[in-house]
Amino acid sequence: MEILRYAAFSTDPAGGNPAGVVLDAAGLTGDEMLAIAADLGYSESAFLTGDRLRYFSPLAEVPFCGHATVATAVALGERRGAGTYVFRTNAGEVPVTVDEHGRATLTSVPASSTEIDDKDLTELLTALRWDRAELDPALPPRIAYAGAYHPVVAANSRRRLAELDYDVPVLKALMEDRGWTTVQLVFRTGPAGFDVRNPFPVGGIYEDPATGAAAAAFGAYLRDLGLGDDTVELSQGTDMGRPGKLTVTLTPGEAGVKVTGDGVRL
């Protein structure tokens, strides 16, 4: 068994989101996968058995992880060549196309968004130490889904996004109770551009550097509210010193959301 290490959504090993990748995990139990993920300490690691792909944070298994999916597809592309790889995940079937340059595009399971309960929003903002006056009224808070659930909360200033200082135990408990995987914090930088940050205390990580699952969910959020173009660029990880780029594509008539990014071996 070989444990590979890749950074997704970057061509620079110092950027993007690191992930562990095991391309032949047939001999591993779930507990052993969790132990490997905890030892690596990345936000998630991916374990491939045939066409089944499982994801583990240092604390628990998660239903879907975009950056570890991209990392796995890039690793397979380097070994088997360009093409489409279809993974069976706990959230559903996820196809990923790797082009001749090693750039991967995943298509999420059917994605959607719903209104957030006002009590949940109050508790979320309290845990984040945000005030309602700091929210962008053009981007209302919602819960978005593309294989995992993510609250979407938009700041009305880049400064608010930059000053991330949340109450870890309170936010972790709220997210575990509600079944949320990360929180998608965004600031709109232009008509088709957003800066993004993702608290991930339920995974034992203060912040995720580049979050493909949340990017896909955010695509559904924009589509449902008619707020985004067909292609949206997300910048994430800059505040952590690990800049990454995620391209979100909305295809008319397609229930899933496409997320594209590079990958590089560490």
Side-chain angles (χ1 to χ4, degrees), residues 3 6 17 50 83 117 120 125 147 154-155 164-165 209 217 219 223 236 242:
I3 301 173
Y6 279 79
N17 197 352
D117 180 82
D120 286 350
L125 293 177
L164 185 63
D165 178 27
R223 178 179 61 198
Q236 189 177 345
R242 293 200 65 93

Side-chain angles (χ1 to χ4, degrees), residues 100-186:
E100 62 275 14
H101 304 293
R103 189 168 169 83
T105 298
L106 68 83
T107 302
S108 76
V109 299
S112 60
S113 70
T114 60
E115 293 186 1
I116 185 170
D117 180 82
D118 192 67
K119 180 176 180 293
D120 286 350
L121 177 59
T122 297
E123 292 186 28
L124 175 58
L125 293 177
T126 299
L128 290 170
R129 301 190 175 107
W130 284 29
D131 187 90
R132 287 181 186 247
E134 297 174 306
L135 303 182
D136 184 344
L139 298 166
R142 289 176 72 90
I143 303 296
Y145 174 82
Y149 289 95
H150 310 265
V152 177
V153 184
N156 63 10
S157 71
R158 185 61 178 81
R159 179 178 178 180
R160 172 67 279 179
L161 188 69
E163 296 174 350
L164 185 63
D165 178 27
Y166 64 87
D167 188 322
V168 174
V170 171
L171 184 59
K172 181 175 184 287
L174 177 63
M175 293 174 68
E176 287 177 337
D177 185 65
R178 302 301 190 270
W180 301 338
T181 299
T182 71
V183 181
Q184 181 85 333
L185 304 176
V186 307

Side-chain angles (χ1 to χ4, degrees), residues 20-57:
V21 176
V22 177
L23 295 179
D24 184 6
L28 296 175
T29 66
D31 287 343
E32 289 169 333
M33 295 177 192
L34 177 60
I36 291 170
D39 183 61
L40 288 171
Y42 299 143
S43 57
E44 278 111 353
S45 293
F47 299 84
L48 185 62
T49 303
D51 64 349
R52 186 186 181 197
L53 193 58
R54 297 174 70 182
Y55 313 93
F56 289 81
S57 78

